[in-house]
Amino acid sequence: MPDIKNGFHELQLAVKFIKLFARNSGMEGEAYSNWSHFLIHLQASWDKVEAGFADTSGTDIGNKFNYLRGLKIHQRKKDPLLKYLWESRNMVVHGVGFSFRRAMIDKLPAGYTYLSKINKQGIRYDRRQIPVFKTRLLLNTVINKERKFQPPTHHLGVPMENSLDPIEIAIKGISFYFNYIKDTDVEFTRSLSSQQLSAFWTNFNIAEVITDAGKLYHIVNFQPEKENTEYYVENTNNFPITFIHFQGTIM
């Protein structure tokens, strides 16, 4: 009997990591790690659906599944967004890595915070006002075997609102694989309940993911007078602040 539950579980893991990515994309290392895990589990959802039909080769069910799978393979090869996700995953798996670029959403400060130096006795001094900017991670060109894949501008024939936004591309990618799993289940297995399918989107909570991704503020390119200088941060506006290109020590 075909089984797609393992594929569905992998897609749930992909959702888990894109939610972590949205929540922690201000931290460069965590952002890369969570994005990489998202890509790996997204592809694993496809692979494990295929594995669930391994014993149906040559049967009527197997032939019908291969027809549906063939249609989806064609879409994956032709669609810019799905191809971009696939090539990004290949870069991660082969150890090439994956890089984003960070951009300020607005050149005007979103607010201000204060930094004070701390001497060896723990006394704060030289308090200064520092501008805080809103930033976001944007997708970069993927290069695999000397072939370049630009961030997609269309998905399934529909223009994307922001082709450089990793959250938008992740949501659309997850939706494609979810529909593939759902269609396969309806046609062949009937192993996923309507409650499970509904709970998938409730847990994903796209509105929350988008909100989390938009909460990040950064102190950009602040250079201390000396390396390893200790600073105390007064976050008077309660911004979720991280530091970009900062060489001091934060207390």
Side-chain angles (χ1 to χ4, degrees), residues 1-126:
M1 180 69 181
D3 183 5
I4 64 168
K5 288 183 178 179
N6 289 334
F8 187 65
H9 177 64
E10 290 292 340
L11 195 60
Q12 290 173 312
L13 290 175
V15 166
K16 169 188 172 182
F17 282 106
I18 206 61
K19 291 175 72 172
L20 289 172
F21 172 83
R23 203 172 299 147
N24 301 313
S25 60
M27 309 298 291
E28 304 291 324
E30 290 187 33
Y32 294 138
S33 175
N34 290 325
W35 182 258
S36 297
H37 283 298
F38 156 70
L39 293 170
I40 290 169
H41 287 291
L42 190 69
Q43 175 58 32
S45 70
W46 173 280
D47 294 338
K48 291 193 177 181
V49 168
E50 285 190 343
F53 281 79
D55 294 336
T56 66
S57 179
T59 67
D60 184 53
I61 288 179
N63 292 335
K64 289 180 178 179
F65 169 71
N66 284 334
Y67 176 76
L68 174 62
R69 173 177 168 272
L71 295 177
K72 297 299 182 181
I73 287 175
H74 179 75
Q75 285 182 312
R76 291 212 312 173
K77 287 182 177 179
K78 297 295 183 181
D79 183 73
L81 184 145
L82 299 173
K83 188 158 53 176
Y84 183 87
L85 287 171
W86 165 252
E87 295 297 343
S88 298
R89 175 262 183 192
N90 289 342
M91 287 186 68
V92 169
V93 170
H94 297 145
V96 181
F98 186 87
S99 61
F100 299 94
R101 61 186 178 88
R102 187 174 291 281
M104 285 191 292
I105 296 175
D106 194 335
K107 292 183 179 180
L108 296 176
Y112 294 87
T113 190
Y114 294 89
L115 290 183
S116 301
K117 295 179 184 177
I118 304 175
N119 63 21
K120 293 181 179 180
Q121 289 73 40
I123 299 173
R124 303 171 199 166
Y125 68 101
D126 193 15

Side-chain angles (χ1 to χ4, degrees), residues 38-250:
F38 156 70
L39 293 170
I40 290 169
H41 287 291
L42 190 69
Q43 175 58 32
S45 70
W46 173 280
D47 294 338
K48 291 193 177 181
V49 168
E50 285 190 343
F53 281 79
D55 294 336
T56 66
S57 179
T59 67
D60 184 53
I61 288 179
N63 292 335
K64 289 180 178 179
F65 169 71
N66 284 334
Y67 176 76
L68 174 62
R69 173 177 168 272
L71 295 177
K72 297 299 182 181
I73 287 175
H74 179 75
Q75 285 182 312
R76 291 212 312 173
K77 287 182 177 179
K78 297 295 183 181
D79 183 73
L81 184 145
L82 299 173
K83 188 158 53 176
Y84 183 87
L85 287 171
W86 165 252
E87 295 297 343
S88 298
R89 175 262 183 192
N90 289 342
M91 287 186 68
V92 169
V93 170
H94 297 145
V96 181
F98 186 87
S99 61
F100 299 94
R101 61 186 178 88
R102 187 174 291 281
M104 285 191 292
I105 296 175
D106 194 335
K107 292 183 179 180
L108 296 176
Y112 294 87
T113 190
Y114 294 89
L115 290 183
S116 301
K117 295 179 184 177
I118 304 175
N119 63 21
K120 293 181 179 180
Q121 289 73 40
I123 299 173
R124 303 171 199 166
Y125 68 101
D126 193 15
R127 183 174 182 263
R128 65 185 73 179
Q129 187 183 60
I130 302 295
V132 177
F133 298 90
K134 198 167 186 180
T135 70
R136 67 188 307 175
L137 289 176
L138 300 179
L139 295 171
N140 255 340
T141 301
V142 169
I143 302 175
N144 193 13
K145 296 181 180 179
E146 299 183 355
R147 296 176 63 196
K148 293 184 178 181
F149 300 89
Q150 302 293 339
T153 57
H154 290 73
H155 175 52
L156 302 180
V158 179
M160 295 181 60
E161 291 184 16
N162 187 350
S163 65
L164 300 178
D165 182 10
I167 297 298
E168 182 176 352
I169 190 177
I171 291 171
K172 292 184 183 302
I174 288 170
S175 297
F176 175 85
Y177 285 87
F178 175 86
N179 288 330
Y180 170 56
I181 290 174
K182 183 188 72 173
D183 292 347
T184 303
D185 182 58
V186 169
E187 183 71 23
F188 302 108
T189 62
R190 301 281 180 174
S191 59
L192 298 174
S193 68
S194 59
Q195 289 83 2
Q196 285 176 295
L197 297 173
S198 177
F200 177 89
W201 293 108
T202 301
N203 177 62
F204 193 176
N205 197 343
I206 292 175
E208 181 182 71
V209 170
I210 293 172
T211 299
D212 284 344
K215 284 182 177 178
L216 301 168
Y217 295 83
H218 302 88
I219 294 174
V220 181
N221 290 331
F222 177 77
Q223 299 293 336
E225 296 172 7
K226 296 180 180 179
E227 288 191 18
N228 300 320
T229 303
E230 290 190 351
Y231 287 89
Y232 177 79
V233 181
E234 296 177 55
N235 191 4
T236 55
N237 294 301
N238 293 318
F239 289 127
I241 292 175
T242 57
F243 289 79
I244 307 301
H245 307 306
F246 183 81
Q247 296 177 345
T249 301
I250 302 299

